[in-house]
Amino acid sequence: RDGTGVPQDDREAARLFRRAANKGHAGAQNELGRCYKLGRGTPQDNDEAARLFRRAAEQGYALDGPSAATALSLPGAMDVIELRQKADQGEADAQYALGGCYLCGQLVPKDYTEAAGLFRRAADQVHLGAQYSLGGCYLDGLGVPQDDREAARLFRHAAKKGHAAAQFELARCYHFSKGMPQDDDEAARLFRRATEQGHALAQCSLGQCYSQGKGVLQDDREAARLYRLAAEQGFSVALFNLGLCCEQGRGVPQDVGEAARLYRLAADQGNPEPMFNLGKLLLQMAAEGRALPAAPGEAARFLEQAMEQTEDEESRLEALAALSKYAH
């Protein structure tokens, strides 16, 4: 869709999203809905976009405000008035959608307090998306006082009903001891439940559990498999982690060419860590005669970008050392 690693092709992107959406993948349903809403690679069709957004939301996918509004079959920004009327009449879906608009500053000015208030009204009606979103407000202190315990309580309510994003966030609460006792076993169990619904961040997090042996038996092959699932959805951290597996031969056959490809895809999303690894790997491949003549210059560019974007002083110094070696 974005021309990352391949020629940009809206039709092919929509075709691939459709294949995954038809298998029940919530993230792909959301992306295909966006294709129909914007007319990218498909005919413009708000009704089909609404149907796909609703299918994704029913699996616990957290829609943004405009997508939630479309799921309610509201065709455009002019209908925020209608959305507000429905919210004032007590319709939980409308309260949730309008709360998302205020949270993101879409269709209306950004207002965290108003967003939290609308999420609360919908959450009181046992709206799973609103419970999850209100939990996020408490977790980050947006429009409400920061409160890890209240965030975890709200995530738990939605997670019990199968909301994938809430399962993921509750797992993180257990993993990082935010409002819950630290419990790697429970974190892994919840990551797995969200993973089974195609949640990319949960897939990557469960992969990290297997890589580190936290809450599960250590298993590099399973870690790599899970990273691949998340990487196929374009998640930068998963692309980087799978690249590490390929470079080091952990859980997969060693393949530095594939590692470089994955690092490049992750680096293209602005992540400094894969920029650094890609720069070092390209220099190594050039030194061993396994890269194109332009590779050292490209490596230097990635290392310079990594230095500009990272806040880690140790990483900056390591990148500088690699650049100095290249210069000499």
Side-chain angles (χ1 to χ4, degrees):
R1 183 182 64 188
D2 299 320
T4 302
V6 293
Q8 197 275 339
D9 189 333
D10 287 337
R11 288 190 179 183
E12 180 64 8
R15 184 185 71 81
L16 292 166
F17 287 144
R18 188 183 308 281
R19 284 178 57 186
N22 288 340
K23 294 179 180 178
H25 192 288
Q29 290 163 353
N30 178 68
E31 291 296 337
L32 185 58
R34 291 179 61 195
C35 291
Y36 274 104
K37 181 174 175 60
L38 300 173
R40 292 188 61 179
T42 65
Q44 202 282 331
D45 188 334
N46 275 332
D47 290 340
E48 182 62 10
R51 185 185 71 83
L52 287 157
F53 288 146
R54 283 194 293 268
R55 286 180 62 193
E58 286 166 1
Q59 295 188 65
Y61 192 91
L63 303 177
D64 60 24
S67 298
T70 301
L72 289 170
S73 300
L74 298 173
M78 294 293 291
D79 286 299
V80 70
I81 297 172
E82 182 182 351
L83 187 60
R84 190 184 304 279
Q85 289 173 343
K86 290 177 180 288
D88 289 343
Q89 291 166 7
E91 293 190 19
D93 283 341
Q95 291 163 348
Y96 169 60
L98 187 57
C101 292
Y102 276 109
L103 185 69
C104 302
Q106 299 280 351
L107 310 182
V108 294
K110 186 178 290 186
D111 187 330
Y112 294 139
T113 302
E114 185 69 14
L118 285 158
F119 289 147
R120 187 182 307 282
R121 289 166 63 191
D124 288 343
Q125 299 184 63
V126 199
H127 189 290
L128 302 186
Q131 289 174 340
Y132 160 73
S133 296
L134 184 57
C137 289
Y138 274 104
L139 193 66
D140 297 326
L142 299 177
V144 292
Q146 200 283 333
D147 188 332
D148 288 340
R149 286 180 180 269
E150 181 63 8
R153 185 187 72 82
L154 288 157
F155 291 147
R156 180 182 296 282
H157 279 305
K160 284 182 177 178
K161 298 289 182 64
H163 193 287
Q167 291 166 349
F168 169 73
E169 289 295 347
L170 183 60
R172 284 172 54 83
C173 289
Y174 277 108
H175 185 73
F176 294 108
S177 188
K178 285 192 167 186
M180 304 294 296
Q182 205 280 334
D183 188 333
D184 286 335
D185 291 346
E186 184 64 8
R189 186 186 72 82
L190 286 159
F191 283 141
R192 189 181 306 282
R193 288 182 62 192
T195 287
E196 290 166 354
Q197 298 186 63
H199 193 285
L201 277 69
Q203 290 166 344
C204 186
S205 295
L206 185 59
Q208 290 169 327
C209 291
Y210 274 102
S211 178
Q212 299 167 14
K214 290 189 174 182
V216 292
L217 292 176
Q218 201 280 336
D219 187 333
D220 285 335
R221 287 190 178 184
E222 182 63 6
R225 185 187 74 83
L226 288 158
Y227 292 149
R228 191 176 301 280
L229 289 175
E232 287 171 354
Q233 298 188 58
F235 183 42
S236 174
V237 176
L239 287 163
F240 172 68
N241 287 349
L242 185 58
L244 281 174
C245 291
C246 291
E247 183 179 2
Q248 298 169 1
R250 294 187 59 183
V252 294
Q254 187 176 37
D255 186 339
V256 293
E258 177 66 2
R261 185 186 74 85
L262 291 161
Y263 288 151
R264 190 184 303 276
L265 289 173
D268 286 345
Q269 296 184 42
N271 189 336
E273 201 167 10
M275 290 177 189
F276 175 64
N277 279 40
L278 178 59
K280 287 200 307 179
L281 187 57
L282 287 173
L283 286 178
Q284 176 187 326
M285 292 171 70
E288 296 171 356
R290 292 185 293 158
L292 296 173
E298 188 179 20
R301 178 171 62 84
F302 278 112
L303 288 168
E304 288 168 355
Q305 289 178 353
M307 287 177 61
E308 290 173 1
Q309 296 189 34
T310 186
E311 297 180 358
D312 183 68
E313 187 62 27
E314 186 176 343
S315 295
R316 280 201 186 99
L317 291 172
E318 197 171 349
L320 184 60
L323 277 170
S324 299
K325 182 178 180 181
Y326 161 66
H328 293 90

